Amino acid sequence: MAAAVEQRLARFRAARGTSSAAAPLPPRSEEPPGKAAAPEASEGPDRGGQPRPVPAATEPARPLLVLALKVLLWAVLLALFAELELGLPFFVVSLLYWMYVGTRGPGERRPGELSAYSVFNPGCTPIAGTLTAEQLERELHYRPAAGR
């Protein structure tokens, strides 16, 4: 974390043209996974850097329209069933259907993707950050060093 801040500070100082005790570091070649690169103050057409292209919208608005129509259809059906005094059973069946549709089977997982439940993973492999009974036992039995 501190190294990244120092690198950004060195690039900023180099772009401003001020001298610093440390030589400017080269930009990092890889970003952490899941993080998008933030635009730097030192980059741009007026600073000598290349302008960053503005990413185009990758998803069209059509799926949002389809979702809105499905919700509207569900609301109309709920009102119809409520008028027939069957609103609660319709709502419960709808919830069960959404739960069924929202879950993915083991065949729909991407290669290498682990389930949150270790019993469904090959060899019962837990995902990162899982609290195991052994870890909890070690932490509960921790005692400070003698003589303190």
PDB file of all heavy atoms in Angstrom, residues 119-145:
ATOM      1  N   VAL A 119     -18.730 -28.577   1.384  1.00  0.00           N
ATOM      2  CA  VAL A 119     -19.115 -29.964   1.112  1.00  0.00           C
ATOM      3  C   VAL A 119     -19.409 -30.186  -0.373  1.00  0.00           C
ATOM      4  O   VAL A 119     -19.384 -31.317  -0.840  1.00  0.00           O
ATOM      5  CB  VAL A 119     -20.335 -30.400   1.959  1.00  0.00           C
ATOM      6  CG1 VAL A 119     -19.981 -30.420   3.428  1.00  0.00           C
ATOM      7  CG2 VAL A 119     -21.520 -29.519   1.703  1.00  0.00           C
ATOM      8  N   PHE A 120     -19.665 -29.126  -1.133  1.00  0.00           N
ATOM      9  CA  PHE A 120     -19.936 -29.264  -2.554  1.00  0.00           C
ATOM     10  C   PHE A 120     -18.680 -29.105  -3.399  1.00  0.00           C
ATOM     11  O   PHE A 120     -18.727 -29.246  -4.613  1.00  0.00           O
ATOM     12  CB  PHE A 120     -20.983 -28.243  -3.008  1.00  0.00           C
ATOM     13  CG  PHE A 120     -22.313 -28.437  -2.344  1.00  0.00           C
ATOM     14  CD1 PHE A 120     -22.861 -27.445  -1.551  1.00  0.00           C
ATOM     15  CD2 PHE A 120     -23.016 -29.615  -2.496  1.00  0.00           C
ATOM     16  CE1 PHE A 120     -24.083 -27.619  -0.937  1.00  0.00           C
ATOM     17  CE2 PHE A 120     -24.237 -29.798  -1.884  1.00  0.00           C
ATOM     18  CZ  PHE A 120     -24.777 -28.799  -1.104  1.00  0.00           C
ATOM     19  N   ASN A 121     -17.548 -28.770  -2.781  1.00  0.00           N
ATOM     20  CA  ASN A 121     -16.294 -28.596  -3.514  1.00  0.00           C
ATOM     21  C   ASN A 121     -15.542 -29.918  -3.569  1.00  0.00           C
ATOM     22  O   ASN A 121     -15.676 -30.749  -2.684  1.00  0.00           O
ATOM     23  CB  ASN A 121     -15.418 -27.538  -2.828  1.00  0.00           C
ATOM     24  CG  ASN A 121     -16.063 -26.175  -2.891  1.00  0.00           C
ATOM     25  OD1 ASN A 121     -16.798 -25.866  -3.805  1.00  0.00           O
ATOM     26  ND2 ASN A 121     -15.761 -25.346  -1.907  1.00  0.00           N
ATOM     27  N   PRO A 122     -14.707 -30.105  -4.585  1.00  0.00           N
ATOM     28  CA  PRO A 122     -13.912 -31.334  -4.653  1.00  0.00           C
ATOM     29  C   PRO A 122     -12.965 -31.413  -3.456  1.00  0.00           C
ATOM     30  O   PRO A 122     -12.246 -30.475  -3.161  1.00  0.00           O
ATOM     31  CB  PRO A 122     -13.126 -31.200  -5.955  1.00  0.00           C
ATOM     32  CG  PRO A 122     -13.625 -29.993  -6.646  1.00  0.00           C
ATOM     33  CD  PRO A 122     -14.495 -29.234  -5.728  1.00  0.00           C
ATOM     34  N   GLY A 123     -13.022 -32.526  -2.754  1.00  0.00           N
ATOM     35  CA  GLY A 123     -12.179 -32.713  -1.576  1.00  0.00           C
ATOM     36  C   GLY A 123     -12.593 -31.852  -0.395  1.00  0.00           C
ATOM     37  O   GLY A 123     -11.792 -31.622   0.503  1.00  0.00           O
ATOM     38  N   CYS A 124     -13.808 -31.325  -0.410  1.00  0.00           N
ATOM     39  CA  CYS A 124     -14.331 -30.448   0.656  1.00  0.00           C
ATOM     40  C   CYS A 124     -13.410 -29.257   0.894  1.00  0.00           C
ATOM     41  O   CYS A 124     -13.182 -28.835   2.028  1.00  0.00           O
ATOM     42  CB  CYS A 124     -14.558 -31.230   1.940  1.00  0.00           C
ATOM     43  SG  CYS A 124     -15.868 -32.446   1.788  1.00  0.00           S
ATOM     44  N   THR A 125     -12.870 -28.683  -0.174  1.00  0.00           N
ATOM     45  CA  THR A 125     -11.969 -27.544  -0.076  1.00  0.00           C
ATOM     46  C   THR A 125     -12.738 -26.298   0.345  1.00  0.00           C
ATOM     47  O   THR A 125     -13.686 -25.905  -0.321  1.00  0.00           O
ATOM     48  CB  THR A 125     -11.307 -27.275  -1.443  1.00  0.00           C
ATOM     49  OG1 THR A 125     -10.749 -28.479  -1.922  1.00  0.00           O
ATOM     50  CG2 THR A 125     -10.261 -26.194  -1.348  1.00  0.00           C
ATOM     51  N   PRO A 126     -12.340 -25.644   1.458  1.00  0.00           N
ATOM     52  CA  PRO A 126     -13.041 -24.417   1.860  1.00  0.00           C
ATOM     53  C   PRO A 126     -12.560 -23.219   1.044  1.00  0.00           C
ATOM     54  O   PRO A 126     -11.437 -23.211   0.533  1.00  0.00           O
ATOM     55  CB  PRO A 126     -12.658 -24.260   3.330  1.00  0.00           C
ATOM     56  CG  PRO A 126     -11.338 -24.927   3.447  1.00  0.00           C
ATOM     57  CD  PRO A 126     -11.353 -26.058   2.445  1.00  0.00           C
ATOM     58  N   ILE A 127     -13.390 -22.199   0.917  1.00  0.00           N
ATOM     59  CA  ILE A 127     -12.995 -20.985   0.220  1.00  0.00           C
ATOM     60  C   ILE A 127     -12.158 -20.128   1.168  1.00  0.00           C
ATOM     61  O   ILE A 127     -12.152 -20.349   2.382  1.00  0.00           O
ATOM     62  CB  ILE A 127     -14.221 -20.200  -0.299  1.00  0.00           C
ATOM     63  CG1 ILE A 127     -15.135 -19.784   0.855  1.00  0.00           C
ATOM     64  CG2 ILE A 127     -14.977 -20.989  -1.335  1.00  0.00           C
ATOM     65  CD1 ILE A 127     -16.271 -18.873   0.436  1.00  0.00           C
ATOM     66  N   ALA A 128     -11.458 -19.166   0.624  1.00  0.00           N
ATOM     67  CA  ALA A 128     -10.600 -18.298   1.428  1.00  0.00           C
ATOM     68  C   ALA A 128     -11.452 -17.501   2.411  1.00  0.00           C
ATOM     69  O   ALA A 128     -12.521 -17.000   2.070  1.00  0.00           O
ATOM     70  CB  ALA A 128      -9.827 -17.347   0.525  1.00  0.00           C
ATOM     71  N   GLY A 129     -10.981 -17.405   3.646  1.00  0.00           N
ATOM     72  CA  GLY A 129     -11.685 -16.649   4.670  1.00  0.00           C
ATOM     73  C   GLY A 129     -12.663 -17.464   5.476  1.00  0.00           C
ATOM     74  O   GLY A 129     -13.367 -16.923   6.326  1.00  0.00           O
ATOM     75  N   THR A 130     -12.739 -18.756   5.235  1.00  0.00           N
ATOM     76  CA  THR A 130     -13.653 -19.608   5.986  1.00  0.00           C
ATOM     77  C   THR A 130     -13.102 -19.855   7.381  1.00  0.00           C
ATOM     78  O   THR A 130     -11.930 -20.162   7.554  1.00  0.00           O
ATOM     79  CB  THR A 130     -13.838 -20.960   5.265  1.00  0.00           C
ATOM     80  OG1 THR A 130     -14.345 -20.714   3.955  1.00  0.00           O
ATOM     81  CG2 THR A 130     -14.801 -21.855   6.016  1.00  0.00           C
ATOM     82  N   LEU A 131     -13.943 -19.682   8.386  1.00  0.00           N
ATOM     83  CA  LEU A 131     -13.548 -19.938   9.765  1.00  0.00           C
ATOM     84  C   LEU A 131     -13.758 -21.427  10.049  1.00  0.00           C
ATOM     85  O   LEU A 131     -14.872 -21.930   9.994  1.00  0.00           O
ATOM     86  CB  LEU A 131     -14.384 -19.106  10.731  1.00  0.00           C
ATOM     87  CG  LEU A 131     -14.082 -19.281  12.209  1.00  0.00           C
ATOM     88  CD1 LEU A 131     -12.671 -18.804  12.513  1.00  0.00           C
ATOM     89  CD2 LEU A 131     -15.078 -18.535  13.056  1.00  0.00           C
ATOM     90  N   THR A 132     -12.667 -22.130  10.321  1.00  0.00           N
ATOM     91  CA  THR A 132     -12.752 -23.556  10.605  1.00  0.00           C
ATOM     92  C   THR A 132     -12.785 -23.776  12.108  1.00  0.00           C
ATOM     93  O   THR A 132     -12.404 -22.899  12.893  1.00  0.00           O
ATOM     94  CB  THR A 132     -11.556 -24.304  10.004  1.00  0.00           C
ATOM     95  OG1 THR A 132     -10.360 -23.799  10.609  1.00  0.00           O
ATOM     96  CG2 THR A 132     -11.485 -24.127   8.499  1.00  0.00           C
ATOM     97  N   ALA A 133     -13.207 -24.956  12.502  1.00  0.00           N
ATOM     98  CA  ALA A 133     -13.254 -25.288  13.931  1.00  0.00           C
ATOM     99  C   ALA A 133     -11.852 -25.289  14.525  1.00  0.00           C
ATOM    100  O   ALA A 133     -11.650 -24.843  15.660  1.00  0.00           O
ATOM    101  CB  ALA A 133     -13.922 -26.644  14.125  1.00  0.00           C
ATOM    102  N   GLU A 134     -10.865 -25.743  13.758  1.00  0.00           N
ATOM    103  CA  GLU A 134      -9.489 -25.770  14.251  1.00  0.00           C
ATOM    104  C   GLU A 134      -8.970 -24.355  14.496  1.00  0.00           C
ATOM    105  O   GLU A 134      -8.323 -24.075  15.504  1.00  0.00           O
ATOM    106  CB  GLU A 134      -8.570 -26.502  13.267  1.00  0.00           C
ATOM    107  CG  GLU A 134      -8.841 -27.986  13.148  1.00  0.00           C
ATOM    108  CD  GLU A 134      -9.998 -28.294  12.200  1.00  0.00           C
ATOM    109  OE1 GLU A 134     -10.406 -27.414  11.414  1.00  0.00           O
ATOM    110  OE2 GLU A 134     -10.526 -29.414  12.273  1.00  0.00           O
ATOM    111  N   GLN A 135      -9.274 -23.435  13.578  1.00  0.00           N
ATOM    112  CA  GLN A 135      -8.835 -22.057  13.739  1.00  0.00           C
ATOM    113  C   GLN A 135      -9.505 -21.414  14.945  1.00  0.00           C
ATOM    114  O   GLN A 135      -8.855 -20.725  15.735  1.00  0.00           O
ATOM    115  CB  GLN A 135      -9.147 -21.262  12.475  1.00  0.00           C
ATOM    116  CG  GLN A 135      -8.754 -19.799  12.568  1.00  0.00           C
ATOM    117  CD  GLN A 135      -9.222 -19.004  11.367  1.00  0.00           C
ATOM    118  OE1 GLN A 135      -9.834 -19.543  10.453  1.00  0.00           O
ATOM    119  NE2 GLN A 135      -8.942 -17.721  11.373  1.00  0.00           N
ATOM    120  N   LEU A 136     -10.786 -21.658  15.124  1.00  0.00           N
ATOM    121  CA  LEU A 136     -11.507 -21.094  16.260  1.00  0.00           C
ATOM    122  C   LEU A 136     -10.947 -21.644  17.571  1.00  0.00           C
ATOM    123  O   LEU A 136     -10.757 -20.892  18.536  1.00  0.00           O
ATOM    124  CB  LEU A 136     -13.001 -21.413  16.135  1.00  0.00           C
ATOM    125  CG  LEU A 136     -13.900 -20.833  17.211  1.00  0.00           C
ATOM    126  CD1 LEU A 136     -13.860 -19.320  17.185  1.00  0.00           C
ATOM    127  CD2 LEU A 136     -15.313 -21.327  17.031  1.00  0.00           C
ATOM    128  N   GLU A 137     -10.644 -22.923  17.580  1.00  0.00           N
ATOM    129  CA  GLU A 137     -10.088 -23.527  18.793  1.00  0.00           C
ATOM    130  C   GLU A 137      -8.721 -22.937  19.121  1.00  0.00           C
ATOM    131  O   GLU A 137      -8.426 -22.635  20.272  1.00  0.00           O
ATOM    132  CB  GLU A 137      -9.979 -25.043  18.602  1.00  0.00           C
ATOM    133  CG  GLU A 137      -9.556 -25.783  19.855  1.00  0.00           C
ATOM    134  CD  GLU A 137      -9.584 -27.274  19.644  1.00  0.00           C
ATOM    135  OE1 GLU A 137     -10.654 -27.796  19.272  1.00  0.00           O
ATOM    136  OE2 GLU A 137      -8.526 -27.893  19.836  1.00  0.00           O
ATOM    137  N   ARG A 138      -7.880 -22.737  18.101  1.00  0.00           N
ATOM    138  CA  ARG A 138      -6.574 -22.125  18.329  1.00  0.00           C
ATOM    139  C   ARG A 138      -6.726 -20.713  18.891  1.00  0.00           C
ATOM    140  O   ARG A 138      -5.998 -20.313  19.790  1.00  0.00           O
ATOM    141  CB  ARG A 138      -5.787 -22.060  17.021  1.00  0.00           C
ATOM    142  CG  ARG A 138      -5.074 -23.328  16.651  1.00  0.00           C
ATOM    143  CD  ARG A 138      -4.058 -23.084  15.545  1.00  0.00           C
ATOM    144  NE  ARG A 138      -4.575 -22.287  14.426  1.00  0.00           N
ATOM    145  CZ  ARG A 138      -5.138 -22.791  13.328  1.00  0.00           C
ATOM    146  NH1 ARG A 138      -5.258 -24.098  13.195  1.00  0.00           N
ATOM    147  NH2 ARG A 138      -5.556 -22.009  12.368  1.00  0.00           N
ATOM    148  N   GLU A 139      -7.666 -19.946  18.369  1.00  0.00           N
ATOM    149  CA  GLU A 139      -7.836 -18.570  18.823  1.00  0.00           C
ATOM    150  C   GLU A 139      -8.431 -18.501  20.219  1.00  0.00           C
ATOM    151  O   GLU A 139      -8.111 -17.604  20.993  1.00  0.00           O
ATOM    152  CB  GLU A 139      -8.698 -17.801  17.826  1.00  0.00           C
ATOM    153  CG  GLU A 139      -7.979 -17.571  16.515  1.00  0.00           C
ATOM    154  CD  GLU A 139      -8.855 -16.881  15.481  1.00  0.00           C
ATOM    155  OE1 GLU A 139     -10.007 -16.527  15.809  1.00  0.00           O
ATOM    156  OE2 GLU A 139      -8.379 -16.708  14.343  1.00  0.00           O
ATOM    157  N   LEU A 140      -9.296 -19.432  20.575  1.00  0.00           N
ATOM    158  CA  LEU A 140      -9.893 -19.424  21.907  1.00  0.00           C
ATOM    159  C   LEU A 140      -8.898 -19.853  22.975  1.00  0.00           C
ATOM    160  O   LEU A 140      -8.987 -19.418  24.116  1.00  0.00           O
ATOM    161  CB  LEU A 140     -11.121 -20.330  21.948  1.00  0.00           C
ATOM    162  CG  LEU A 140     -12.346 -19.795  21.213  1.00  0.00           C
ATOM    163  CD1 LEU A 140     -13.456 -20.830  21.242  1.00  0.00           C
ATOM    164  CD2 LEU A 140     -12.825 -18.496  21.810  1.00  0.00           C
ATOM    165  N   HIS A 141      -7.966 -20.712  22.613  1.00  0.00           N
ATOM    166  CA  HIS A 141      -6.986 -21.202  23.576  1.00  0.00           C
ATOM    167  C   HIS A 141      -5.728 -20.356  23.615  1.00  0.00           C
ATOM    168  O   HIS A 141      -4.768 -20.712  24.267  1.00  0.00           O
ATOM    169  CB  HIS A 141      -6.619 -22.664  23.277  1.00  0.00           C
ATOM    170  CG  HIS A 141      -7.752 -23.596  23.553  1.00  0.00           C
ATOM    171  ND1 HIS A 141      -8.159 -23.911  24.820  1.00  0.00           N
ATOM    172  CD2 HIS A 141      -8.580 -24.263  22.713  1.00  0.00           C
ATOM    173  CE1 HIS A 141      -9.171 -24.748  24.748  1.00  0.00           C
ATOM    174  NE2 HIS A 141      -9.466 -24.974  23.477  1.00  0.00           N
ATOM    175  N   TYR A 142      -5.700 -19.237  22.913  1.00  0.00           N
ATOM    176  CA  TYR A 142      -4.520 -18.385  22.908  1.00  0.00           C
ATOM    177  C   TYR A 142      -4.349 -17.748  24.290  1.00  0.00           C
ATOM    178  O   TYR A 142      -5.264 -17.197  24.852  1.00  0.00           O
ATOM    179  CB  TYR A 142      -4.659 -17.291  21.850  1.00  0.00           C
ATOM    180  CG  TYR A 142      -3.537 -16.285  21.888  1.00  0.00           C
ATOM    181  CD1 TYR A 142      -2.279 -16.616  21.406  1.00  0.00           C
ATOM    182  CD2 TYR A 142      -3.737 -15.040  22.440  1.00  0.00           C
ATOM    183  CE1 TYR A 142      -1.243 -15.715  21.466  1.00  0.00           C
ATOM    184  CE2 TYR A 142      -2.715 -14.126  22.490  1.00  0.00           C
ATOM    185  CZ  TYR A 142      -1.479 -14.461  22.003  1.00  0.00           C
ATOM    186  OH  TYR A 142      -0.466 -13.549  22.053  1.00  0.00           O
ATOM    187  N   ARG A 143      -3.162 -17.842  24.803  1.00  0.00           N
ATOM    188  CA  ARG A 143      -2.852 -17.222  26.085  1.00  0.00           C
ATOM    189  C   ARG A 143      -1.591 -16.385  25.903  1.00  0.00           C
ATOM    190  O   ARG A 143      -0.691 -16.764  25.147  1.00  0.00           O
ATOM    191  CB  ARG A 143      -2.631 -18.299  27.141  1.00  0.00           C
ATOM    192  CG  ARG A 143      -3.885 -19.049  27.483  1.00  0.00           C
ATOM    193  CD  ARG A 143      -3.652 -20.059  28.593  1.00  0.00           C
ATOM    194  NE  ARG A 143      -4.864 -20.739  28.928  1.00  0.00           N
ATOM    195  CZ  ARG A 143      -5.369 -21.775  28.274  1.00  0.00           C
ATOM    196  NH1 ARG A 143      -4.741 -22.257  27.235  1.00  0.00           N
ATOM    197  NH2 ARG A 143      -6.477 -22.347  28.666  1.00  0.00           N
ATOM    198  N   PRO A 144      -1.487 -15.247  26.606  1.00  0.00           N
ATOM    199  CA  PRO A 144      -0.274 -14.448  26.467  1.00  0.00           C
ATOM    200  C   PRO A 144       0.944 -15.178  27.009  1.00  0.00           C
ATOM    201  O   PRO A 144       0.820 -16.109  27.815  1.00  0.00           O
ATOM    202  CB  PRO A 144      -0.582 -13.196  27.285  1.00  0.00           C
ATOM    203  CG  PRO A 144      -1.734 -13.535  28.142  1.00  0.00           C
ATOM    204  CD  PRO A 144      -2.457 -14.678  27.471  1.00  0.00           C
ATOM    205  N   ALA A 145       2.104 -14.772  26.569  1.00  0.00           N
ATOM    206  CA  ALA A 145       3.357 -15.416  26.980  1.00  0.00           C
ATOM    207  C   ALA A 145       3.533 -15.275  28.494  1.00  0.00           C
ATOM    208  O   ALA A 145       3.126 -14.280  29.101  1.00  0.00           O
ATOM    209  CB  ALA A 145       4.532 -14.810  26.252  1.00  0.00           C
TER     210      ALA A 145
END
